[in-house]
Amino acid sequence: MALDQSFVGRTYPPTEPYEVGREKIREFAEAVGDANPAYTDTDAAKALGHPDVIAPPTFVFAITFKAAGQVIADPQLGLDYSRVVHGDQKFAYNRPVRAGDRLTVTSTIETIRTMAGNDILDVRGEVHDQNGEHVVTAWTKLVARAAEEA
């Protein structure tokens, strides 16, 4: 059954703040194999004009995907998460994520469409810091695969 188009434009409440820590940034950089010293060395980050270490560009996925969980878990939407695969991800940054940021995410359903029986859902996550400054917008595409016929 196709998802309800009336959910397009629905915005969910902001998440609780997520405090970005130096160690989380370091662990993430190591996990993705990115040895950029701006991710692990405060002096190197400051030499590039940042007040502290910065996070790799895909770091923010962890908090934006968690925020999209509000959409996924919305019982009125009726998304069958057992059939969902991650279809795409993109980011538009105003500035890098920095250690010490306290980030909140507000998720909005941008589009819902059906293709070949699959429901495709685009969720936009607006990420703001503790001062209300817009840091990054993340778009997550979720594909709910069509039910297999018996």
Side-chain angles (χ1 to χ4, degrees), residues 66-143:
K66 183 176 180 182
Q70 293 177 87
V71 176
I72 293 164
D74 186 337
Q76 294 176 324
L77 178 61
L79 183 66
D80 179 359
Y81 190 67
S82 71
R83 307 206 60 79
V84 170
V85 295
H86 183 240
D88 192 20
Q89 188 71 48
K90 62 183 177 178
F91 306 98
Y93 276 87
N94 283 336
R95 68 158 175 84
V97 169
R98 303 183 282 235
D101 279 341
R102 291 179 49 79
L103 303 176
T104 58
V105 183
T106 303
S107 296
T108 300
I109 298 174
E110 279 203 331
T111 63
I112 296 173
R113 63 186 191 280
T114 301
M115 184 181 300
N118 301 308
D119 287 321
I120 302 168
L121 182 73
D122 291 303
V123 179
R124 183 183 73 243
E126 298 290 348
V127 181
H128 291 85
D129 70 9
Q130 63 277 6
N131 300 316
E133 178 186 349
H134 180 256
V135 176
V136 59
T137 300
W139 290 270
T140 302
K141 184 179 300 295
L142 302 174
V143 180

